[in-house]
């Protein structure tokens, strides 16, 4: 009896000894685990049950799958419009990337560039059709769909291909301050200023069109320069900053291309015998005449 009583008294102590082993095992597991135990209420957020803090940098699949690009198109229309409008505000340009382009998206730039393509083609075609209708001999107007292909090639090459090439060049030089998605997104939103200008350039006054083109060129150039130059300045080689001159020359070339190819028409050249209006006179013509260029 005394022996059994002693064994019964040792039973609880044995159970306590087991619990100590379990606590030591848990402590060792927590030290060896890369993810230490978290407080209550945080685990659900870490497992993704709650809303994510911002979008992931990329999708889960490979770059050839739709899932890889899906996060870059997950954006609401209000945010896209706000990002478009802020490109017209010179005061917001220097802080556009950290303030308005976080996280970057591809949905807005794609539709901005696509809308610009159709705006260029439709405004140019509308002005040409008005010119043909007002002409003295009532010429029949035919849509020039080559302008659509030209607009598509020019806008997509400048708005998508150029930022990708610039990003590759900067990566080669060791400048990794931004991602390729940020580069394409910045360039795409930066072309928004040309959309209202392309519509307003239907106005048949050459000087007004030059002013509008100059305004769009200035706004978009300042916007891109204010966001790109700090990235170029972060490079160790100071010669990298000279790329801003090359980019400015390319931007000017695109602006002149828009003016010549799409905004170079004159709806009315001359009214009356000797009363010219802005646009110049056509040699060998008299009376009321119209022409398109």
């Amino acid at each position: 009896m005394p022996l059994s009583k002693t064994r019964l008294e040792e039973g609880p102590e044995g159970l306590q000894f087991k619990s100590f082993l379990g606590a030591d095992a848990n402590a060792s597991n927590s030290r060896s685990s890369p993810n230490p135990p978290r407080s209550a209420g945080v685990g659900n957020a870490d497992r993704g049950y709650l809303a994510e803090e911002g979008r992931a940098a990329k999708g889960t699949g490979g770059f050839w799958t739709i899932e890889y690009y899906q996060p870059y198109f997950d954006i609401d229309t209000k945010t896209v419009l706000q990002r478009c409008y802020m490109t017209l505000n010179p005061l917001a340009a220097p802080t556009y990337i950290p303030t308005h382009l976080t996280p970057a998206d591809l949905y807005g730039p794609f539709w901005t560039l696509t809308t610009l393509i159709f705006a260029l083609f439709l405004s140019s075609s509308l002005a040409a059709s008005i010119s043909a209708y007002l002409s003295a001999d009532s010429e029949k107007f035919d849509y020039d769909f080559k302008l659509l292909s030209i607009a598509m090639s020019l806008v997509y090459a400048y708005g998508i291909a150029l930022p990708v090439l610039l990003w590759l060049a900067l990566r080669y030089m060791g400048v990794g301050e931004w991602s390729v998605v940020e580069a394409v997104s910045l360039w795409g939103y930066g072309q928004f200023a040309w959309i209202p200008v392309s519509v307003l350039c239907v106005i048949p006054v050459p000087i007004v069109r030059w002013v509008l083109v100059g305004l769009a060129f200035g706004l978009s150039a300042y916007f891109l320069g204010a966001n790109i130059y700090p990235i170029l300045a972060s490079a160790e080689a100071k010669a990298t900053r000279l790329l801003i001159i090359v980019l400015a020359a390319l931007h000017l070339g695109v602006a002149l291309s828009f003016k010549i190819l799409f905004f170079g028409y004159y709806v009315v050249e001359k009214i009356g015998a000797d009363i010219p209006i802005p646009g110049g006179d056509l040699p060998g013509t008299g009376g009321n005449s119209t022409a398109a260029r």
Side-chain angles (χ1 to χ4, degrees):
M1 291 296 293
L3 179 62
S4 62
K5 182 178 180 180
T6 303
R7 289 180 177 176
L8 289 175
E9 291 177 353
E10 293 177 354
E13 295 179 359
L15 292 176
Q16 292 179 3
F17 184 72
K18 279 187 176 182
S19 65
F20 289 150
L21 283 177
D24 293 339
N26 292 334
S28 62
N29 290 335
S30 64
R31 288 193 298 268
S32 60
S33 174
N35 299 321
R38 297 173 175 84
S39 59
V42 181
N44 287 341
D46 295 333
R47 291 184 177 89
Y49 299 148
L50 301 180
E52 296 180 356
E53 297 180 1
R55 269 202 325 274
K58 59 181 180 179
T60 56
F63 69 91
W64 59 87
T65 62
I66 299 178
E67 290 79 9
Y68 182 88
Y69 301 97
Q70 185 175 358
Y72 302 123
F73 291 86
D74 186 13
I75 188 172
D76 57 283
T77 305
K78 181 180 178 181
T79 304
V80 171
L81 293 177
Q82 182 181 8
R83 292 181 176 184
C84 290
Y85 296 150
M86 294 308 296
T87 61
L88 304 179
N89 184 5
L91 299 178
T95 59
Y96 185 82
I97 292 180
T99 305
H100 302 284
L101 204 62
T102 303
D105 70 288
L106 295 177
Y107 179 83
F110 170 76
W111 282 112
T112 300
L113 297 176
T114 304
T115 304
L116 175 59
I117 291 172
F118 284 98
L120 290 172
F121 174 72
L122 292 178
S123 62
S124 179
S125 300
L126 177 61
S129 63
I130 294 174
S131 176
Y133 176 77
L134 296 177
S135 62
D137 52 358
S138 299
E139 297 178 358
K140 182 180 179 181
F141 172 74
D142 293 327
Y143 287 95
D144 187 6
F145 287 98
K146 291 182 181 180
L147 287 177
L148 180 60
S149 61
I150 292 175
M152 186 179 300
S153 302
L154 183 61
V155 172
Y156 281 152
Y158 183 71
I160 298 178
L162 179 62
V164 172
L165 293 177
L166 177 63
W167 177 81
L168 290 174
L170 293 180
R171 291 284 292 182
Y172 179 77
M173 297 177 184
V175 182
E177 292 290 333
W178 61 348
S179 65
V180 64
V181 176
E182 279 184 337
V184 175
S185 183
L186 182 70
W187 237 274
Y189 282 118
Q191 310 311 310
F192 175 76
W194 291 104
I195 295 177
V197 166
S198 63
V199 176
L200 293 175
C201 277
V202 179
I203 299 174
V205 181
I207 188 62
V208 173
R209 290 199 297 269
W210 275 109
V211 171
L212 291 173
V213 170
L215 180 62
F217 167 77
L219 286 175
S220 56
Y222 177 76
F223 171 79
L224 293 175
N227 288 277
I228 296 171
Y229 185 78
I231 299 174
L232 300 179
S234 64
E236 295 181 0
K238 293 185 178 180
T240 307
R241 303 178 184 182
L242 297 178
L243 283 176
I244 197 69
I245 300 177
V246 178
L247 296 176
L250 291 175
H251 195 69
L252 178 60
V254 171
L256 292 177
S257 299
F258 286 163
K259 176 63 179 69
I260 296 172
L261 295 175
F262 303 100
F263 310 143
Y265 42 77
Y266 302 108
V267 178
V268 179
E269 287 288 345
K270 190 175 182 180
I271 300 177
D274 297 317
I275 306 178
I277 64 172
D281 298 333
L282 291 179
T285 60
N288 296 331
S289 62
T290 59
R293 292 176 57 182

